[in-house]
Coordinates of all heavy atoms in Angstrom, one line a residue:
M248 N 109.6 66.7 151.7 CA 110.7 67.7 151.3 C 110.7 67.6 149.8 O 110.7 68.7 149.1 CB 112.1 67.1 151.7 CG 112.2 67.3 153.2 SD 112.2 69.1 153.7 CE 113.9 69.5 154.0
T249 N 110.5 66.5 149.2 CA 110.6 66.3 147.6 C 109.4 67.1 147.1 O 109.5 67.8 146.2 CB 110.5 64.9 147.2 OG1 111.3 64.1 148.1 CG2 110.9 64.7 145.8
D250 N 108.3 67.0 147.8 CA 107.1 67.8 147.3 C 107.3 69.2 147.3 O 107.0 69.9 146.4 CB 105.9 67.5 148.3 CG 105.2 66.2 148.0 OD1 105.7 65.5 147.0 OD2 104.3 65.7 148.7
E251 N 108.0 69.7 148.3 CA 108.3 71.1 148.4 C 109.2 71.6 147.2 O 108.9 72.6 146.5 CB 109.0 71.5 149.7 CG 108.0 72.2 150.6 CD 108.7 72.4 152.0 OE1 109.7 73.1 152.0 OE2 108.1 71.9 153.0
I252 N 110.2 70.8 146.9 CA 111.1 71.1 145.8 C 110.3 71.0 144.5 O 110.4 71.9 143.6 CB 112.3 70.1 145.7 CG1 113.1 70.3 147.0 CG2 113.1 70.2 144.4 CD1 114.2 69.3 147.2
D253 N 109.5 70.0 144.3 CA 108.6 69.9 143.1 C 107.7 71.1 142.9 O 107.6 71.7 141.9 CB 107.7 68.7 143.2 CG 108.5 67.4 142.8 OD1 109.6 67.5 142.4 OD2 107.9 66.3 143.0
R254 N 107.2 71.5 144.1 CA 106.3 72.7 144.1 C 107.1 74.0 143.7 O 106.5 74.7 142.9 CB 105.6 72.8 145.4 CG 104.1 73.1 145.3 CD 103.4 73.0 146.6 NE 103.2 71.7 147.2 CZ 103.2 71.3 148.5 NH1 103.3 72.2 149.3 NH2 103.0 70.1 148.7
A255 N 108.2 74.0 144.2 CA 109.1 75.2 143.9 C 109.5 75.2 142.4 O 109.4 76.3 141.8 CB 110.3 75.1 144.8
Q256 N 109.8 74.0 141.9 CA 110.2 74.0 140.5 C 109.0 74.3 139.6 O 109.1 74.9 138.5 CB 110.8 72.6 140.2 CG 112.2 72.4 140.7 CD 112.7 71.0 140.4 OE1 112.0 70.1 140.2 NE2 114.0 70.9 140.6
E257 N 107.9 73.8 140.0 CA 106.6 74.0 139.2 C 106.3 75.5 139.2 O 106.0 76.1 138.2 CB 105.5 73.2 139.9 CG 104.3 73.1 138.9 CD 103.1 72.6 139.6 OE1 103.2 71.5 140.2 OE2 102.0 73.3 139.6
Y258 N 106.4 76.1 140.4 CA 106.3 77.5 140.5 C 107.2 78.4 139.6 O 106.8 79.2 138.9 CB 106.4 78.0 141.9 CG 106.2 79.4 142.2 CD1 104.9 80.1 142.1 CD2 107.3 80.3 142.4 CE1 104.8 81.5 142.3 CE2 107.2 81.6 142.6 CZ 105.9 82.2 142.5 OH 105.8 83.6 142.7
E259 N 108.5 77.9 139.6 CA 109.5 78.5 138.8 C 109.2 78.4 137.4 O 109.3 79.4 136.7 CB 110.9 77.9 139.1 CG 112.0 78.9 139.2 CD 113.2 78.4 139.8 OE1 114.0 77.8 139.1 OE2 113.4 78.5 141.1
S260 N 108.8 77.2 137.0 CA 108.6 77.1 135.5 C 107.4 77.8 135.1 O 107.2 78.3 133.9 CB 108.4 75.6 135.1 OG 107.1 75.1 135.6
R261 N 106.4 77.9 136.0 CA 105.2 78.8 135.7 C 105.7 80.3 135.5 O 105.1 80.9 134.6 CB 104.1 78.6 136.7 CG 102.8 78.0 136.2 CD 101.9 77.9 137.3 NE 101.5 76.6 137.5 CZ 100.8 76.1 138.6 NH1 100.5 76.9 139.6 NH2 100.4 74.9 138.7
M262 N 106.5 80.7 136.3 CA 106.9 82.1 136.4 C 107.8 82.3 135.0 O 107.6 83.3 134.4 CB 107.9 82.4 137.5 CG 107.1 82.4 138.8 SD 105.7 83.6 138.9 CE 106.6 85.1 139.1
T263 N 108.6 81.3 134.7 CA 109.4 81.4 133.4 C 108.4 81.5 132.2 O 108.6 82.4 131.4 CB 110.3 80.2 133.3 OG1 111.1 80.1 134.5 CG2 111.2 80.3 132.1
E264 N 107.4 80.7 132.2 CA 106.4 80.7 131.1 C 105.8 82.1 131.1 O 105.7 82.6 129.9 CB 105.4 79.6 131.4 CG 105.7 78.3 130.7 CD 104.7 77.3 131.2 OE1 103.5 77.6 131.3 OE2 105.1 76.1 131.4
A265 N 105.4 82.6 132.2 CA 104.8 84.0 132.2 C 105.8 85.0 131.7 O 105.5 85.8 130.9 CB 104.4 84.3 133.7
A266 N 107.1 84.8 132.1 CA 108.1 85.8 131.6 C 108.3 85.7 130.1 O 108.5 86.7 129.4 CB 109.4 85.6 132.3
I267 N 108.3 84.5 129.6 CA 108.4 84.2 128.1 C 107.3 84.8 127.4 O 107.6 85.5 126.4 CB 108.7 82.7 127.9 CG1 110.0 82.2 128.4 CG2 108.5 82.4 126.4 CD1 110.2 80.8 128.4
S268 N 106.1 84.5 127.8 CA 105.0 85.0 127.1 C 104.9 86.6 127.2 O 104.5 87.3 126.2 CB 103.6 84.5 127.6 OG 103.3 84.8 128.9
H269 N 105.4 87.2 128.3 CA 105.4 88.6 128.4 C 106.5 89.2 127.4 O 106.3 90.1 126.7 CB 105.8 88.9 129.8 CG 105.6 90.4 130.1 ND1 106.6 91.2 130.7 CD2 104.6 91.3 129.9 CE1 106.2 92.4 130.8 NE2 105.0 92.5 130.4
A270 N 107.6 88.5 127.4 CA 108.7 88.9 126.6 C 108.2 88.8 125.0 O 108.5 89.6 124.2 CB 109.9 88.1 126.7
R271 N 107.5 87.7 124.8 CA 106.9 87.5 123.4 C 106.0 88.7 123.0 O 106.0 89.1 121.9 CB 106.2 86.2 123.4 CG 106.7 85.4 122.2 CD 106.0 84.0 122.2 NE 106.9 83.0 122.6 CZ 106.7 81.8 123.1 NH1 105.4 81.5 123.4 NH2 107.5 80.8 123.3
A272 N 105.2 89.1 124.0 CA 104.2 90.2 123.8 C 105.0 91.4 123.4 O 104.6 92.2 122.6 CB 103.4 90.4 125.0
N273 N 106.0 91.6 124.2 CA 106.9 92.8 124.0 C 107.6 92.8 122.6 O 107.7 93.8 121.8 CB 108.0 93.0 125.0 CG 107.5 93.5 126.3 OD1 106.4 94.0 126.4 ND2 108.2 93.4 127.4
A274 N 108.0 91.6 122.2 CA 108.5 91.4 120.9 C 107.5 91.7 119.8 O 107.9 92.4 118.8 CB 109.1 90.0 120.8
E275 N 106.3 91.3 120.0 CA 105.2 91.6 119.1 C 105.1 93.2 119.0 O 104.9 93.7 117.9 CB 103.9 91.0 119.5 CG 103.9 89.6 119.5 CD 104.0 88.9 118.1 OE1 103.2 89.5 117.2 OE2 104.6 87.9 117.9
M276 N 105.1 93.8 120.1 CA 105.0 95.2 120.1 C 106.1 95.9 119.3 O 105.9 96.8 118.6 CB 105.1 95.8 121.5 CG 103.9 95.5 122.4 SD 102.4 96.3 121.9 CE 102.7 97.9 122.6
A277 N 107.3 95.3 119.5 CA 108.5 95.9 118.8 C 108.4 95.8 117.2 O 109.1 96.5 116.5 CB 109.8 95.2 119.2
K278 N 107.6 94.9 116.8 CA 107.4 94.6 115.4 C 106.8 95.8 114.7 O 106.9 96.0 113.5 CB 106.6 93.4 115.0 CG 107.4 92.2 115.0 CD 106.5 91.0 114.7 CE 107.1 89.6 114.9 NZ 106.2 88.5 114.9
G279 N 106.0 96.6 115.4 CA 105.4 97.8 114.9 C 104.0 98.0 115.4 O 103.2 97.1 115.5
V280 N 103.7 99.2 115.8 CA 102.4 99.6 116.3 C 102.0 100.9 115.4 O 102.9 101.7 115.2 CB 102.4 100.0 117.8 CG1 102.6 98.7 118.6 CG2 103.4 101.0 118.2
P281 N 100.7 101.0 115.2 CA 100.3 102.2 114.5 C 100.3 103.4 115.4 O 100.0 103.3 116.6 CB 98.8 101.9 114.0 CG 98.5 100.6 114.8 CD 99.7 100.1 115.5
G282 N 100.6 104.5 114.9 CA 100.7 105.8 115.6 C 101.4 106.9 115.0 O 101.9 106.7 113.8
E283 N 101.6 108.0 115.7 CA 102.3 109.1 115.1 C 103.9 108.9 115.4 O 104.3 108.6 116.6 CB 101.9 110.4 115.8 CG 101.1 111.2 114.8 CD 100.5 112.5 115.4 OE1 101.2 113.1 116.3 OE2 99.3 112.7 115.2
C284 N 104.7 109.1 114.5 CA 106.1 109.0 114.6 C 106.6 110.2 115.6 O 106.3 111.3 115.4 CB 106.8 109.2 113.2 SG 108.6 109.2 113.3
E285 N 107.5 109.7 116.5 CA 108.0 110.7 117.5 C 109.1 111.6 116.8 O 109.4 112.6 117.4 CB 108.7 110.0 118.6 CG 107.6 109.3 119.6 CD 108.3 108.5 120.7 OE1 109.5 108.7 120.9 OE2 107.5 107.7 121.3
F286 N 109.6 111.2 115.6 CA 110.7 111.9 115.0 C 110.1 113.0 114.0 O 110.6 114.1 114.1 CB 111.6 111.0 114.4 CG 112.4 110.2 115.4 CD1 111.7 108.9 115.8 CD2 113.6 110.5 115.9 CE1 112.5 108.2 116.9 CE2 114.2 109.8 116.9 CZ 113.6 108.6 117.4
C287 N 109.2 112.6 113.2 CA 108.8 113.4 112.1 C 107.3 113.9 112.3 O 106.8 114.7 111.7 CB 108.9 112.8 110.7 SG 107.9 111.4 110.4
G288 N 106.6 113.2 113.1 CA 105.2 113.5 113.5 C 104.2 112.9 112.4 O 103.0 113.1 112.6
E289 N 104.6 112.3 111.5 CA 103.9 111.6 110.4 C 103.2 110.4 111.1 O 103.8 109.6 111.9 CB 104.7 111.2 109.2 CG 105.1 112.3 108.4 CD 104.1 113.1 107.6 OE1 103.1 112.4 107.2 OE2 104.1 114.3 107.5
W290 N 101.9 110.1 110.6 CA 101.2 108.9 111.1 C 101.7 107.7 110.3 O 102.0 107.8 109.1 CB 99.7 109.0 110.9 CG 99.0 107.9 111.6 CD1 98.5 108.1 112.9 CD2 98.7 106.6 111.2 NE1 97.9 106.8 113.2 CE2 98.0 106.0 112.2 CE3 98.9 106.0 110.0 CZ2 97.6 104.6 112.1 CZ3 98.5 104.6 109.9 CH2 97.8 104.0 111.0
S291 N 102.1 106.7 111.0 CA 102.6 105.5 110.4 C 101.9 104.3 111.0 O 101.5 104.2 112.1 CB 104.1 105.4 110.7 OG 104.6 104.0 110.3
G292 N 101.6 103.3 110.2 CA 100.9 102.1 110.6 C 101.8 101.2 111.2 O 101.4 100.2 111.8
R293 N 103.1 101.5 111.2 CA 104.1 100.6 111.8 C 105.3 101.3 112.4 O 106.3 101.5 111.9 CB 104.6 99.7 110.7 CG 105.2 98.4 111.2 CD 105.6 97.5 110.1 NE 106.7 96.6 110.5 CZ 107.9 96.7 110.4 NH1 108.4 97.9 110.0 NH2 108.9 95.9 110.8
L294 N 105.0 101.8 113.7 CA 106.0 102.4 114.4 C 106.9 101.4 115.2 O 106.3 100.6 115.8 CB 105.5 103.5 115.4 CG 104.7 104.6 114.8 CD1 104.2 105.4 116.0 CD2 105.6 105.6 114.0
V295 N 108.2 101.5 115.2 CA 109.0 100.6 116.0 C 109.8 101.7 116.9 O 110.5 102.5 116.4 CB 109.9 99.8 115.2 CG1 110.8 99.0 116.1 CG2 109.1 98.8 114.3
N296 N 109.7 101.5 118.2 CA 110.3 102.4 119.1 C 109.9 103.9 118.9 O 110.8 104.7 119.0 CB 111.9 102.2 119.2 CG 112.3 100.8 119.7 OD1 111.6 100.3 120.6 ND2 113.3 100.3 119.1
G297 N 108.7 104.1 118.4 CA 108.2 105.3 118.2 C 108.6 106.0 117.0 O 108.3 107.2 116.7
A298 N 109.3 105.3 116.1 CA 109.8 105.8 114.8 C 109.2 105.2 113.6 O 109.0 103.9 113.6 CB 111.3 105.7 114.8
C299 N 108.9 105.9 112.6 CA 108.4 105.3 111.4 C 109.6 104.7 110.5 O 110.7 105.0 110.9 CB 107.5 106.4 110.6 SG 108.6 107.6 109.9
A300 N 109.2 104.0 109.5 CA 110.3 103.4 108.7 C 111.3 104.4 108.1 O 112.5 104.2 108.2 CB 109.6 102.5 107.6
P301 N 110.9 105.5 107.4 CA 111.8 106.4 107.0 C 112.7 107.0 108.0 O 113.9 107.2 107.8 CB 110.9 107.5 106.3 CG 109.6 106.9 106.0 CD 109.4 105.8 107.1
C302 N 112.2 107.3 109.1 CA 113.0 107.8 110.3 C 113.9 106.7 110.9 O 115.1 107.0 111.3 CB 112.1 108.3 111.4 SG 111.4 110.0 110.9
R303 N 113.5 105.5 110.9 CA 114.4 104.4 111.3 C 115.6 104.4 110.4 O 116.7 104.2 110.8 CB 113.7 103.1 111.4 CG 112.7 103.1 112.5 CD 112.3 101.6 113.0 NE 111.9 100.8 111.9 CZ 110.6 100.8 111.4 NH1 109.6 101.6 112.0 NH2 110.2 100.1 110.4
D304 N 115.3 104.6 109.1 CA 116.5 104.6 108.1 C 117.3 105.7 108.4 O 118.5 105.6 108.4 CB 115.9 104.6 106.6 CG 115.3 103.3 106.2 OD1 115.6 102.3 106.9 OD2 114.6 103.2 105.2
K305 N 116.7 106.9 108.4 CA 117.4 108.2 108.5 C 118.3 108.2 109.8 O 119.3 108.7 109.8 CB 116.4 109.3 108.7 CG 116.8 110.7 108.5 CD 115.6 111.7 108.3 CE 116.1 113.2 108.3 NZ 114.9 114.0 108.3
Y306 N 117.7 107.8 110.9 CA 118.4 107.8 112.3 C 119.2 106.4 112.6 O 119.6 106.3 113.6 CB 117.6 108.3 113.4 CG 117.0 109.6 113.0 CD1 115.6 109.8 112.7 CD2 117.7 110.8 113.2 CE1 115.1 111.0 112.5 CE2 117.2 112.0 113.0 CZ 115.9 112.1 112.6 OH 115.4 113.4 112.4
K307 N 119.1 105.6 111.6 CA 119.7 104.2 111.7 C 119.2 103.5 113.0 O 120.0 103.0 113.8 CB 121.3 104.4 111.9 CG 121.9 105.2 110.8 CD 122.2 104.3 109.5 CE 122.8 105.1 108.3 NZ 122.1 105.0 107.1
L308 N 117.9 103.5 113.2 CA 117.2 102.9 114.3 C 116.9 101.4 114.0 O 116.4 100.7 114.8 CB 116.0 103.6 114.7 CG 116.1 105.1 115.1 CD1 114.9 105.8 115.2 CD2 117.0 105.2 116.4
G309 N 117.3 100.9 112.9 CA 117.0 99.6 112.6 C 115.7 99.4 111.9 O 114.8 98.8 112.4
Ligands
ZN214 ZN1 109.0 109.5 111.1

């Protein structure tokens, strides 16, 4: 019985680690990706949520 619980906990912690690393990867993405701004169409080396820095200022996107 104990083994089963240990295994379940191990599985859970592995899943949590995977979730954390996935969330971390998403956070990295949120820092900025190169591409065309969805708002002004200008190319930016650092889009966050599809918006370049001037547009993030303009539309208060952070
Ligand atoms: Zn823009």
Side-chain angles (χ1 to χ4, degrees):
M248 289 301 255
T249 319
D250 279 357
E251 253 172 60
I252 293 166
D253 282 352
R254 228 172 281 152
Q256 282 176 343
E257 196 189 306
Y258 177 75
E259 215 165 90
S260 76
R261 240 181 241 164
M262 292 305 280
T263 306
E264 271 170 36
I267 289 168
S268 64
H269 191 233
R271 232 177 248 157
N273 283 346
E275 293 292 321
M276 292 289 285
K278 273 183 195 167
V280 291
E283 253 176 42
C284 173
E285 287 175 16
F286 295 85
C287 66
E289 290 288 324
W290 194 91
S291 168
R293 197 175 160 275
L294 295 176
V295 177
N296 296 326
C299 67
C302 286
R303 288 200 307 277
D304 284 348
K305 197 173 171 183
Y306 300 105
K307 310 273 180 235
L308 298 170

